[in-house]
Amino acid sequence: MHELTQNRPLSAAAVVAHDGLAFAKADLQVLRRSPERLALASVQPVLILLFLVVLLGGSIEVPGQSYLEFLLPGVVLQSVLLLSATTAASVAFARQSGTLQRYRVLPISLSSYFLGRAVSECVITVLATGFLIITGVILGWRPHASPGQALLSVVIILMLSITSTLIGIAVGLLVSSTESAAQVAVLLTTPPAFLSTMMVTQEALPDWLQPIVHYNPVSTVLNLLRDALSGGKSLTVSHTWDAAYSTAWMLALVTLTVFLSTSKLRQMSTTVIGAN
């Protein structure tokens, strides 16, 4: 990191990308020595899937598909959203312990640290989703997606992972304690997941709740992910709306979280300079 940053032969964006990948590599090396983080990210969704399939699989009917096929994308999405709590706790700890302040004296940008965090979270998301898919196959689920639809599924999951990570980063910077940061992140991501079509179809919900679920961006993301994993036909008009609506929400959340994080980092920088 230091040699590239000092010589500056590349553009600023290239330097940030290089340093970000170095941070991601370091984070994943820690993961190899302490795999508890990956285990928690993988085991919890698997247990949720097993519990819901055993408990509700025989009592909920989904037109045109099995309940397992309907439920699996929802559990994948929930597991990605819950990773924001891990990110929030990690960033809050780095802020409390002075790690972020120490990074400021190095010839690197803090954007590299957050980029590295996003990359490592995406890797964890892919691995955890892989374990979940394997569990689904063992339970009887079979993928019907074409290579293009499988690629679309990965893109959707990675976009959601990046959004979730940025939410976690913003919460970790804004909330004072590590424990509170994780709890706030859970409070921000859990209600939208459960007020969606994650576990049941929209038609099975009360009439007054259906409009809320319909316009919940989590539901529209699930529509796209289910369509891709089930090998659905090319995008219809409703799916086109789902794609536009979901993308707009993700871009709005990314913009908001980046703005909040940047503002907080500038405030931290002013405080450090003032202290000196």
Side-chain angles (χ1 to χ4, degrees):
M1 278 192 290
H2 296 283
E3 181 180 354
L4 180 61
T5 308
Q6 290 171 357
N7 295 333
R8 297 286 178 180
L10 302 177
S11 66
V15 173
V16 170
H18 178 274
D19 291 348
L21 291 177
F23 274 116
K25 182 179 179 180
D27 195 26
L28 293 174
Q29 286 176 342
V30 173
L31 188 66
R32 290 178 56 187
R33 296 193 298 269
S34 302
E36 296 87 0
R37 182 171 150 206
L38 177 60
L40 289 173
S42 304
V43 172
Q44 185 180 21
V46 168
L47 292 177
I48 293 174
L49 181 66
L50 291 171
F51 178 78
L52 292 177
V53 168
V54 172
L55 185 65
L56 302 176
S59 59
I60 295 181
E61 295 184 2
V62 180
Q65 58 183 174
S66 67
Y67 183 62
L68 175 60
E69 188 175 11
F70 175 84
L71 179 64
L72 184 62
V75 179
V76 169
L77 185 142
Q78 185 196 34
S79 67
V80 175
L81 290 177
L82 286 177
L83 286 177
S84 63
T86 307
T87 303
S90 178
V91 173
F93 178 78
R95 180 188 167 201
Q96 274 189 326
S97 63
T99 302
L100 293 182
Q101 286 76 2
R102 287 194 292 271
Y103 286 152
R104 286 193 169 279
V105 303
L106 298 175
I108 59 173
S109 169
L110 276 181
S111 300
S112 303
Y113 168 75
F114 297 123
L115 174 62
R117 185 75 199 189
V119 171
S120 64
E121 289 293 349
C122 285
V123 173
I124 293 173
T125 297
V126 170
L127 294 175
T129 302
F131 284 119
L132 196 55
I133 294 294
I134 292 172
T135 303
V137 171
I138 294 173
L139 292 175
W141 176 80
R142 294 295 181 267
H144 302 289
S146 66
Q149 291 166 334
L151 179 60
L152 176 61
S153 301
V154 173
V155 171
I156 293 171
I157 292 170
L158 290 180
M159 287 176 61
L160 188 65
S161 177
I162 292 171
T163 305
S164 179
T165 300
L166 290 174
I167 292 174
I169 289 173
V171 171
L173 289 173
L174 294 171
V175 178
S176 56
S177 69
T178 303
E179 296 80 5
S180 298
Q183 292 172 0
V184 170
V186 170
L187 288 175
L188 288 175
T189 56
T190 299
F194 282 97
L195 289 175
S196 70
T197 56
M198 184 185 77
M199 292 189 293
V200 295
T201 61
Q202 180 178 315
E203 292 73 21
L205 296 169
D207 292 340
W208 64 269
L209 189 58
Q210 289 187 22
I212 298 174
V213 171
H214 178 72
Y215 289 103
N216 182 353
V218 174
S219 295
T220 58
V221 173
L222 274 174
N223 291 341
L224 296 172
L225 188 58
R226 284 191 176 113
D227 183 76
L229 288 176
S230 64
K233 299 178 181 180
S234 58
L235 295 181
T236 62
V237 174
S238 61
H239 283 135
T240 303
W241 183 85
D242 287 340
Y245 188 71
S246 302
T247 302
W249 263 99
M250 288 191 202
L251 289 175
L253 288 172
V254 167
T255 302
L256 176 62
T257 53
V258 168
F259 172 77
L260 292 175
S261 299
T262 303
S263 300
K264 185 61 180 180
L265 287 173
R266 287 174 180 170
Q267 179 183 346
M268 291 169 56
S269 177
T270 303
T271 302
V272 172
I273 294 173
N276 292 335

